[in-house]
Amino acid sequence: MNVRIKNNVYWVGKVDWELRHFHGSEYSTHRGSTYNSYLIREQKTALVDTVWAPYAKEYVGKLEKTVDLKKIDYIIANHGEVDHSGALPALMHRIPDTPIYCTAAGAKSIKGQYHRDWNFKVVKTGDRLSLGSKELVFIEAPMLHWPDSMFCYLTGDNILFSNDAFGQHYATERLYNDLVDQAELYAESIKYYANILAPFSPLVVKKIEEVLALNLPLDMICTSHGVIWRDDPARIVRQYLEWAKNYRENQITIVYDTMWDATRAMAGAIADGVREADGEVVVKLYNASKTDRNDIITEVFRSKAVLVGSPTVNRGVMSSLAGLLEEIRGLGFKDKKAAAFGTYGWSGESVKMLEDMLKHAGFEVREGGPRVLWNPDGEAIGRCRDFGRQIAADFAP
Ligand code: FEO
């Protein structure tokens, strides 16, 4: 399926319904993904990005049914990551001299991955490439989310090709933001932001403000994953600005792991206490070893506070929580509060260790969360409920 999306611009990408993990197994893709590639056929013909390597043969085969490959004048590599550059070796095997326009970091990244010295043309912000009556304008976007990332803008059609920014890992044959399930689209967009772009939030704000200051008319944002934003494309831009500025909702997320249900009982009692004290706050509970890690991270991103519970195991915490907190540390969420709780049988280090991990991950930690010896009895459950009530008051908006 190659589809005309506006005038002489075609979507020539791949919808990957099978994908369930991305970045190795760091990112879950419950709804698959797409690798969007675009063909612009003006007086000159330009190809914007390609697809992931496993689909290279299929991609090139379909592409040559749409255009004589030798008629492609320019390849634009907005980003060197393999999900967009993976079909370059197969394509360049057919058209080895075609220039590849990319940033300086892009040329290094692509050379480093494929060890080929293709005809790279390095561009910088503000450089233009004439396609005839229309031009591509290049805008470097370093660290959104790699050093080489770049946008390009097609004059006349008013299309921003934003690569990873504004994307979602969301397989759909319907292509446009106004044709898909809006709840699914929101869920995949915020998950993508929380798990991939959040570390770069200050740069997101700066880059969006820089692009808005150019006052370019904007009819479409063509991302490299998920839908094309054509219905009110500025909506996702506004949404990104909101997410990038220490985003939080009136939500407290309780994340725990448990060996024999004692820590789970504590989590439930704490949740009861929060709800008793504050009928407005949204409370969500997740067992870290039973819930998708990226989904939990998305909920933490939405939260004003997170409460983390673990029994003490081998003088430490359960591995699901250690891994989760390490990943959250890397994402650099800001302006969020936290506390810890847990059970123990003898040494009992878990609460203090969780507090240290939470501080290391950038949370403002309320220390001294409840510790319970063996299974919580009625008195301990009451203490957990009191702790929940106190948290609700302390962490009130
Ligand atoms: Fe979709 Fe950073 O690659």
Side-chain angles (χ1 to χ4, degrees):
M1 166 186 96
N2 288 339
V3 184
R4 170 179 270 154
I5 58 169
K6 187 173 186 186
N7 297 328
N8 298 316
V9 183
Y10 298 79
W11 179 93
V12 293
K14 168 69 186 173
V15 179
D16 187 348
W17 288 95
E18 279 191 0
L19 191 78
R20 287 297 174 268
H21 291 100
F22 193 76
H23 288 155
S25 55
E26 285 294 283
Y27 189 103
S28 59
T29 50
H30 308 314
R31 295 187 177 97
S33 192
T34 75
Y35 318 107
N36 297 335
S37 170
Y38 301 95
L39 186 70
I40 308 168
R41 306 183 74 176
E42 294 292 329
Q43 286 94 325
K44 294 288 188 180
T45 296
L47 181 71
V48 179
D49 292 324
T50 70
V51 303
W52 187 30
Y55 300 108
K57 192 171 167 202
E58 174 185 333
Y59 168 77
V60 172
K62 275 173 48 191
L63 187 62
E64 65 185 338
K65 290 197 176 79
T66 303
V67 64
D68 177 352
L69 299 182
K70 294 193 169 49
K71 296 270 169 57
I72 297 175
D73 297 292
Y74 314 118
I75 295 168
I76 316 299
N78 276 331
H79 180 27
E81 194 164 7
V82 69
D83 50 325
H84 308 295
S85 66
L88 277 177
L91 185 61
M92 298 310 284
H93 180 69
R94 302 285 302 280
I95 47 173
D97 300 323
T98 307
I100 299 175
Y101 287 74
C102 60
T103 61
K108 278 189 201 160
S109 153
I110 293 169
K111 281 183 197 172
Q113 293 180 85
Y114 304 108
H115 310 293
R116 310 277 171 82
D117 199 15
W118 290 315
N119 180 15
F120 293 103
K121 303 285 186 194
V122 168
V123 293
K124 298 192 291 298
T125 294
D127 287 352
R128 292 170 173 258
L129 179 64
S130 174
L131 303 181
S133 60
K134 298 172 186 173
E135 288 180 309
L136 280 171
V137 183
F138 299 105
I139 303 162
E140 292 169 274
M143 298 317 297
L144 298 180
H145 67 129
W146 272 19
D148 69 315
S149 298
M150 177 173 81
F151 304 159
C152 57
Y153 176 82
L154 180 62
T155 63
D157 288 324
N158 307 332
I159 297 175
L160 181 71
F161 297 94
S162 64
N163 196 262
D164 283 329
F166 312 119
Q168 330 85 45
H169 287 301
Y170 183 32
T172 172
E173 303 289 340
R174 309 205 70 188
L175 219 57
Y176 300 106
N177 68 313
D178 51 305
L179 297 185
V180 300
D181 183 297
Q182 296 302 294
E184 288 184 354
L185 178 58
Y186 183 83
E188 294 303 337
S189 297
I190 193 170
K191 176 178 176 180
Y192 187 96
Y193 190 91
N195 285 272
I196 297 177
L197 288 166
F200 313 109
S201 286
L203 297 173
V204 169
V205 173
K206 201 163 157 234
K207 183 53 58 181
I208 287 177
E209 287 173 349
E210 179 191 317
V211 173
L212 291 178
L214 297 174
N215 273 323
L216 299 168
L218 188 62
D219 292 351
M220 281 184 182
I221 298 176
C222 288
T223 71
S224 288
H225 296 294
V227 298
I228 292 167
W229 300 92
R230 70 172 179 186
D231 176 43
D232 187 13
R235 177 165 47 125
I236 188 64
V237 180
R238 291 191 298 273
Q239 184 67 78
Y240 262 45
L241 283 174
E242 191 181 355
W243 287 336
K245 293 179 179 171
N246 298 353
Y247 184 72
R248 55 190 207 150
E249 300 173 16
N250 188 21
Q251 175 172 323
I252 293 176
T253 299
I254 302 176
V255 187
Y256 62 92
D257 203 345
T258 193
M259 293 176 75
W260 299 109
D261 282 348
T263 305
R264 184 170 73 84
M266 291 184 75
I270 293 168
D272 288 345
V274 173
R275 281 190 290 257
E276 284 165 19
D278 184 345
E280 298 295 316
V281 67
V282 174
V283 182
K284 296 184 182 177
L285 288 89
Y286 298 99
N287 181 321
S289 64
K290 294 187 180 182
T291 311
D292 179 89
R293 196 172 66 231
N294 303 108
D295 291 342
I296 295 178
I297 287 171
T298 307
E299 294 299 338
V300 172
F301 176 71
R302 297 176 66 171
S303 298
K304 62 182 181 181
V306 59
L307 310 180
V308 183
S310 175
T312 296
V313 184
N314 295 334
R315 307 181 74 181
V317 304
M318 291 188 76
S319 59
S320 64
L321 293 164
L324 178 70
L325 290 175
E326 166 53 21
E327 193 158 346
I328 289 175
R329 181 204 58 74
L331 293 170
F333 296 158
K334 300 279 186 300
D335 200 18
K336 296 188 188 298
K337 296 180 177 170
F341 60 94
T343 53
Y344 66 104
W346 48 103
S347 61
E349 294 93 336
S350 67
V351 171
K352 177 74 170 63
M353 288 184 73
L354 287 173
E355 288 173 348
D356 290 345
M357 288 175 183
L358 287 161
K359 282 183 209 165
H360 189 52
F363 290 86
E364 182 189 325
V365 176
R366 184 191 187 281
E367 294 181 83
R371 297 167 69 239
V372 170
L373 181 62
W374 300 116
N375 257 339
D377 59 10
E379 180 277 330
I381 288 292
R383 239 179 340 117
C384 290
R385 200 176 274 127
D386 288 345
F387 176 72
R389 279 193 284 267
Q390 193 61 52
I391 285 290
D394 291 353
F395 294 175

